[in-house]
Amino acid sequence: QARLVESGGGLVQPGGSLRLSCAASGITNIINAMGWYRQAPGQNRELVAGISSSDGATRYADSVKGRFTISRDNAKNTVYLQMNSLKPEDTAVYYCNVLTNRAYWGQGTQVTVSS
């Protein structure tokens, strides 16, 4: 059974850093891409960052470019999101996403940026 386990969320002051991790297990199909989405209260879920399995190509939301970095460990089927220079507007629930011939979602981890 497919399972995505996220970790690394929490409370941080503006300007601080957090690192999210998502370990995927039980997925038998080829993983095409992994990524992170977020959803703030009253807002739609939005793509934060994604990374291709084939060539490692990455994409980022304009709002996080230069501050967030996505990476992955193919051997461990794990994707990371290093978040630096965090802002209050980054506050949201962050969801891990894995794409095969279907999409898998993690349970979400809360990130709160506040002084």
Side-chain angles (χ1 to χ4, degrees):
Q1 183 174 354
R3 187 179 182 208
L4 303 183
V5 179
E6 299 156 340
S7 60
L11 172 65
V12 65
Q13 293 186 342
S17 298
L18 285 174
R19 187 188 193 216
L20 305 182
S21 300
C22 172
S25 61
I27 296 176
T28 56
N29 293 327
I30 294 174
I31 295 176
N32 296 314
M34 302 180 79
W36 292 92
Y37 286 69
R38 68 185 181 187
Q39 187 168 19
Q43 303 295 318
N44 293 327
R45 190 173 296 189
E46 63 173 355
L47 174 69
V48 177
I51 185 166
S52 167
S53 298
S54 60
D55 60 5
T58 58
R59 60 181 295 192
Y60 295 92
D62 288 343
S63 58
V64 307
K65 284 180 181 176
R67 300 187 298 122
F68 292 9
T69 302
I70 189 169
S71 61
R72 65 171 290 175
D73 184 332
N74 287 342
K76 297 180 179 179
N77 275 348
T78 299
V79 63
Y80 306 95
L81 185 68
Q82 178 66 43
M83 304 185 294
N84 299 328
S85 302
L86 282 160
K87 304 175 180 180
E89 51 263 43
D90 295 317
T91 295
V93 178
Y94 284 68
Y95 296 91
C96 176
N97 172 264
V98 172
L99 286 177
T100 62
N101 59 341
R102 56 155 288 183
Y104 296 90
W105 293 94
Q107 78 282 0
T109 184
Q110 177 70 46
V111 171
T112 302
V113 185
S114 175
S115 56

